[in-house]
Each structure stands twice: as C-alpha cells, then as structure tokens.
Amino acid sequence: MTGLLGGYFIFGGDQMRSNDTHDHSKDGVEERWTCSMHPQINLPESGDCPICGMDLIAVQETNDAVSQNQFKMTENAIALANIQTTIIGKTNIEDDVLKLSGKITENEENKAVQVSYFNGRVERLYANTSGENIRKGQLLASVFSPELVATQQELITAAAIKNEQPQLYQAVRNKLRLLKISETQIDQIEKTGKIKESFPVYATVSGTISEKMVAQGDYIKQGQPLYKIANLSTVWVVLDAYENQISKLKIGQKIVIASKAYPNQKHEAKILLINPIVNTKTRTVKVRATLDNDQSLFKPGMFVLGYVQSNTQKHAQSLTIPASAVLWTGKRSLVYIKTNPDQPVFEMREVTVESKDGKTYMVHDGLQKGEEIVINGTFTVDAAAQLQGKKSMMNRKRSMISDIVDQKNGKEDVLGRLPESFQEKFSKTLPFYFEMKNAFIASDVNAVSMSAKKIKEMLEVLNLNGLGKNESLDVKNSQKLISEIVGSQNIDTQRKHFIIFNEHMINLVKLLDRVEDRFYVQKCSMANENKGAIWLSLEKEVKNPYYGNMMLNCGDVVGTIQKKSF
C-alpha cells in the first residue's frame, strides 16, 4: 500500500500536474467563424453560411488584441500604399474662415461707350489699341460726314438772314449742338464762312479703352459705338460661394483679398452684393465687393482669393476633413479611423458631411476632435478591410450576427438577399457589362455605347419591388449612369461615368446568389484623379479599362466575388 501511494505521488501526481498545465494565451478570446465566399459573415459559432450554405471556417486570429470591427495592416503595406493620416482639429484655428475663389472684373458702374453722334466715314483714328489710357476731351478720331457738311451750309445761309429769321438761325445752331459740335466750332464756321469736311471726335469720359470697335476707313452711323471705355480706379471682386456657405455671408461683411501677383499684400473690401440666383451648373452664387485700384495693381481677369470671417458660431466649432478622406457608397459617406496612435490598427466609421469648398468636407456627425483619420490611400485601407472580412465600403452588410439574420420568435430569415426574379434578370446584364469593360480597354467609343445600350434596356425593366433602400438606390443610380454613357461620344466622359457605375454594380453583384463565375474586383489607384477606381473582371490578369493601352496593366486584384449556384 505504501508502495502504491509512493508510486502515485511520484508518477500519478506528475501526470495530474501535467494534465492541469495548458495554454492560457487564448483564454478570453472569442472564436469567430466566417465564409470563404462571403467574408462579411462573422459568427460566434461554426456551422453553415446563412447566404450560400457552405461550411464556415475559423477566422485566423492574430496575437494583437483588436475589436470586432478593427483590423491591422503591416508597416510594409502602409509604406508601399503611401497611407497617410491626420489628426482632426489640428488646423481648426482657420476653420471659421471661409476661403472663396474668384476674379477681378471691371466695375460696371464706371463703364462707358464712346459713340458717334453723326453718320460718316472714319478718316483717322488717334486711339488705336485696347488698354490705352485716355482722358476726357482727348481727340480720338476725325470723321467725314456729308450730313455735317449740309448742316454747316444751312448755318452759313441762316447766319446771313439771322436778323430777319432769328428762329431759323437758332434752330440750325441747335441742330449742330445735338451733333456734339461745340459752341466754339459753330462760331468759327459762322465767322469764316468755310465748311469743314472732317470733324473731330473727342472723349466724353476718362478711362482705359477696353475694346476698339471700329477701324480707319469704316462707315459709321449715328449712335454706333466706337470704343468701350472702363474706369479702373475701382474694380469689382466677384467670388463664387457654395450653397452651404451662403448662410455664413452677409452684406457689409469684411473680406480680405489676396492674389498670386502680389502674394505678400492683402487688401480689404466689403461685400456689397450676394447674388440671389444660384448657378444651376456649378451650384454657386456670385459674391461681389468693390476694391480701390488707384495704383492699378488689379487687372480685370486676374484670379484672386477672398477670406471671410464666418458670422456663425456653429461654423467656428465645426470640424473639417480633406475630401480625399471620404469614401462614398450610395448616400453613405465613410472614413477610416486609426484607433491606435502607436500601431497600424484601423476601423471604418460612417460619417455625415457636407461639401465646404470642393476640397474639404465639414463634419456634422461621426467624428470628434483629436481622432486620427486616413487621408491618403483610403481605397487601399478599404481593400485590406474587405480581405480580412471586416466592415468596408464593398462589404455593405454589417458583420454582426444581428445584422445577418432576424431572430424573431426563434425564426431566422436571411437579410440582404435579392429576390430571385430580380437576380435572374439582373444576371443577364453581366455578359454585356464585361463586353463594355473590354470595349473600354480597347478605347472603342462605339463599342462602349453599343454594350451600354443593351445594359440600359435590361436595367430599365428591372422590378425593384422587394429590394432594400440601398439596393434600390444602386439600381436607380446605375440606370442614370448607363444613360450618361450611352449619350456620350467621348471616351473620357464615358470613363468618368463608368467609375461611379462600377461602385453601384459591384454592390449589387456581391448580393447575387446564382452566379457560377468567379469575379475579380480590381482597382487602379491612379484612376479618378488619384482617388482610385474599381471594376469587375472575369480574369485575374489586370487589364485597365480607365487608361486602355496607355497603362494596360496598371492595377491590382483587391478582392474576389464567388457565389455558389443553387
């Protein structure tokens, strides 16, 4: 008995201690399961994919502790993609200053037209060039006028009988006065009794000739313009303000003007007019101020910038972010947050923004001062999120179980699936999509239009009943964009519409069940003015539809879409 107890403590005890020893590194870490075909699926237990029915696979966890919606990128990937971030609110000192762009124009209140007051032929011009400065009373031209010759003869005749016919005499003199002949000239004609064949034309205002409208030898009529003259001692500053900036402007508000011609000089003016009519093409209104120009620094046509202190406290407290930080999908606007300042950990965030000046956005909701956001390489970060099965622009359905199934009364209904009748008809557009994409690769405008017409016809007959709000919006936007492609005969314009068309098409393709092919989502970071653009391809080899032969192989595969055929 003693031997058995000794053996137990020597061997059995060690075995017990050995059995009690295990790896605690994964304690407290929740195991997650996803679908290889649907990376947006992320469930706490193994089983079947709620979309395609395939077996779920375990998510490969890293040793780094990140939350469900976060993901990590390698330092090498960040460097290669030139991903840049900025901290929101660091430049908020200037956020309450509106920056408007515009140009210098002539002050229309000081514009004049020098006209001819009688019919005739221009014998000589003494002011021959636009931009020439003239003063009031300066000789501009001499004109031969048969009408004046006849009227002078009437004056000489009337002067001989002015004692007998004083009314006739005064009527002839008045006739010459109306033709802008001076009293001195009239007296000289009467005194000498000689008829002048050519009469001088004198400037009635001072200023700068902005346009010469006649040439020497031209026949002119009474009232015909000879010169356009502008007084540039004051000029107008005409600036463009976006709709969302109108409420921050008011008449009498001080505005500081700066120009590239004089970068170190600032000039103050006051807003005199805010145009009540919005330009329907640019969605801007004209804001006007008058600027003193005694030193002739400002030339009409010169581009300038105007800085206006906002008159609303709300604007001063708002946050602004660069336009490059925002991704758009339908009506949603998304940004990527760097959640850890010391590690490359990112998370997608939905925000509410409005355009401030075309280059920046004003944030109304979704971000706080001090948060760090991605401002360059946003598409690359989004692609990394998709490949890791995280929330992304393309993975529109959220990854939590409550967003995938509706568990009311114990019944699971799969959400985010398109009606079968819709899928059947929509799938028929895909061969023509790839036909159009190949036409873009070949830069064949006519072939693009032909394929687009077929897609347009199919999209227009789709029944949107049973679609969700986002899916309906994708279809409607696709219909509008394909119509624009059909209506254009310019390959560059067609490609601009194709960029946005792809975003909506890919959103719909990702929700299809009955597709047998594997689709490759490809992306060119240089397209769309270096903002990046995506497209679908049946081949893994990249052939760029946005540049054709110029940059045929520019791009990368950023994802795959493959559905199981039922």
Side-chain angles (χ1 to χ4, degrees):
M1 185 68 179
T2 303
L4 290 173
L5 289 173
Y8 170 78
F9 284 110
I10 295 174
F11 298 104
D14 289 341
Q15 187 175 3
M16 284 186 64
R17 284 190 297 270
S18 176
N19 291 339
D20 285 342
T21 303
H22 60 277
D23 185 5
H24 292 271
S25 62
K26 295 185 178 180
D27 284 355
V29 177
E30 183 181 5
E31 193 173 28
R32 310 295 299 181
W33 297 79
T34 188
C35 174
S36 59
M37 296 297 104
H38 303 88
Q40 70 266 33
I41 301 300
N42 197 306
L43 303 178
E45 297 178 355
S46 62
D48 297 334
C49 174
I51 295 179
C52 66
M54 292 184 64
D55 292 337
L56 298 178
I57 59 175
V59 176
Q60 297 295 324
E61 299 288 348
T62 65
N63 293 329
D64 301 309
V66 295
S67 70
Q68 177 63 32
N69 295 322
Q70 297 174 353
F71 59 96
K72 188 173 183 181
M73 297 180 66
T74 65
E75 296 289 349
N76 186 46
I78 290 176
L80 289 174
N82 192 27
I83 295 172
Q84 300 174 14
T85 61
T86 189
I87 297 176
I88 305 172
K90 289 185 69 174
T91 58
N92 254 27
I93 296 175
E94 299 181 356
D95 281 349
D96 60 341
V97 176
L98 296 181
K99 182 180 178 182
L100 309 177
S101 60
K103 63 181 181 179
I104 300 294
T105 66
E106 298 171 0
N107 185 339
E108 293 183 5
E109 295 175 348
N110 294 337
K111 291 173 68 175
V113 178
Q114 180 75 45
V115 301
S116 172
Y117 294 99
F118 42 80
N119 300 327
R121 183 182 69 247
V122 178
E123 292 288 311
R124 185 173 178 183
L125 287 177
Y126 297 95
N128 287 295
T129 59
S130 298
E132 186 175 342
N133 291 323
I134 61 173
R135 66 185 183 281
K136 185 177 181 179
Q138 180 178 331
L139 179 61
L140 299 179
S142 61
V143 178
F144 167 72
S145 173
E147 179 185 4
L148 273 177
V149 171
T151 307
Q152 289 177 82
Q153 185 61 58
E154 291 177 12
L155 174 65
I156 294 171
T157 302
I161 57 171
K162 62 181 179 180
N163 294 329
E164 293 80 10
Q165 298 287 340
Q167 293 180 343
L168 176 62
Y169 171 71
Q170 290 297 328
V172 175
R173 288 185 68 96
N174 287 335
K175 186 176 180 180
L176 286 169
R177 292 190 191 103
L178 293 174
L179 295 175
K180 295 298 180 180
I181 306 302
S182 67
E183 291 291 340
T184 302
Q185 290 174 315
I186 295 173
D187 291 339
Q188 186 178 9
I189 295 168
E190 181 180 343
K191 181 178 180 180
T192 61
K194 293 181 180 180
I195 296 174
K196 288 187 175 183
E197 294 185 353
S198 295
F199 266 82
V201 176
Y202 296 102
T204 55
V205 294
S206 298
T208 302
I209 296 176
S210 59
E211 184 179 355
K212 182 171 73 77
M213 307 181 72
V214 293
Q216 194 164 295
D218 285 352
Y219 283 87
I220 56 176
K221 295 182 178 181
Q222 185 177 12
Q224 180 176 332
L226 304 178
Y227 301 92
K228 288 184 178 180
I229 301 172
N231 188 334
L232 300 180
S233 60
T234 61
V235 292
W236 281 353
V237 182
V238 181
L239 304 164
D240 292 315
Y242 289 95
E243 287 181 88
N244 63 298
Q245 297 173 326
I246 297 175
S247 62
K248 306 171 183 65
L249 301 170
K250 63 180 181 180
I251 303 297
Q253 198 169 8
K254 186 176 76 172
I255 181 169
V256 178
I257 306 300
S259 67
K260 290 184 178 180
Y262 310 102
N264 297 323
Q265 297 184 27
K266 300 292 185 291
H267 303 266
E268 290 188 2
K270 289 185 178 181
I271 295 177
L272 299 179
L273 174 70
I274 300 174
N275 200 316
I277 300 175
V278 176
N279 186 315
T280 55
K281 293 183 178 180
T282 62
R283 309 308 306 171
T284 59
V285 298
K286 298 294 183 182
V287 178
R288 194 182 79 204
T290 301
L291 196 62
D292 290 332
N293 193 32
D294 294 334
Q295 299 179 1
S296 301
L297 297 178
F298 297 101
K299 322 294 182 186
M302 181 183 290
F303 287 104
V304 293
L305 294 175
Y307 299 90
V308 185
Q309 188 78 22
S310 173
N311 63 357
T312 61
Q313 184 178 3
K314 175 184 176 182
H315 181 68
Q317 295 177 346
S318 66
L319 299 176
T320 58
I321 59 177
S324 60
V326 183
L327 296 175
W328 290 92
T329 168
K331 292 185 177 180
R332 298 190 306 156
S333 48
L334 313 172
V335 298
Y336 276 95
I337 308 294
K338 187 178 181 186
T339 58
N340 190 326
D342 301 320
Q343 295 183 9
V345 178
F346 300 93
E347 179 181 343
M348 189 192 79
R349 182 83 59 80
E350 187 166 344
V351 295
T352 304
V353 298
E354 67 170 307
S355 178
K356 181 181 177 185
D357 55 13
K359 297 181 180 179
T360 57
Y361 286 105
M362 190 185 304
V363 182
H364 291 297
D365 189 35
L367 293 174
Q368 295 181 355
K369 184 177 180 180
E371 289 188 300
E372 189 171 359
I373 64 171
V374 177
I375 59 172
N376 190 67
T378 317
F379 271 98
T380 303
V381 176
D382 184 80
Q386 183 202 3
L387 292 174
Q388 296 185 38
K390 302 293 184 176
K391 289 183 182 180
S392 69
M393 181 178 68
M394 296 179 64
N395 288 339
R396 298 177 60 183
K397 299 303 173 184
R398 294 176 292 238
S399 58
M400 299 301 289
I401 180 64
S402 60
D403 297 321
I404 301 299
V405 297
D406 182 12
Q407 298 179 334
K408 292 181 179 179
N409 300 322
K411 181 181 178 181
E412 294 188 358
D413 295 324
V414 178
L415 300 178
R417 293 183 62 179
L418 301 172
E420 291 189 10
S421 59
F422 176 90
Q423 293 194 45
E424 181 180 356
K425 292 183 178 179
F426 177 76
S427 297
K428 293 179 181 179
T429 65
L430 296 179
F432 298 110
Y433 168 87
F434 293 110
E435 184 180 283
M436 181 173 66
K437 186 261 298 184
N438 292 334
F440 273 116
I441 293 172
S443 299
D444 189 335
V445 176
N446 293 329
V448 168
S449 296
M450 291 178 62
S451 300
K453 286 180 182 178
K454 298 174 184 176
I455 298 173
K456 180 176 180 291
E457 293 172 358
M458 293 183 175
L459 290 179
E460 286 178 346
V461 299
L462 290 177
N463 186 348
L464 304 188
N465 292 334
L467 296 186
K469 182 178 179 181
N470 288 332
E471 289 73 27
S472 296
L473 185 63
D474 282 326
V475 174
K476 292 177 182 178
N477 285 331
S478 298
Q479 292 170 340
K480 293 178 183 178
L481 291 163
I482 202 67
S483 296
E484 296 290 342
I485 294 174
V486 171
S488 175
Q489 287 299 312
N490 181 286
I491 192 68
D492 293 329
T493 302
Q494 289 177 328
R495 281 174 169 146
K496 288 180 181 179
H497 296 305
F498 189 54
I499 289 172
I500 309 174
F501 178 75
N502 275 319
E503 295 181 6
H504 296 292
M505 283 292 288
I506 291 175
N507 287 337
L508 294 169
V509 171
K510 287 179 64 66
L511 297 177
L512 293 178
D513 295 324
R514 301 181 177 277
V515 177
E516 297 178 356
D517 298 309
R518 171 178 291 182
F519 297 147
Y520 294 94
V521 182
Q522 299 175 342
K523 174 196 163 195
C524 173
S525 300
M526 297 179 64
N528 195 18
E529 299 178 352
N530 292 320
K531 297 176 184 176
I534 54 177
W535 70 92
L536 284 175
S537 177
L538 292 173
E539 300 83 23
K540 192 172 184 179
E541 179 185 1
V542 173
K543 291 186 178 179
N544 194 317
Y546 299 121
Y547 293 103
N549 290 330
M550 293 175 59
M551 300 169 60
L552 184 61
N553 303 118
C554 178
D556 300 288
V557 176
V558 296
T560 58
I561 302 174
Q562 185 178 14
K563 305 292 182 180
K564 181 178 178 182
S565 179
F566 289 87

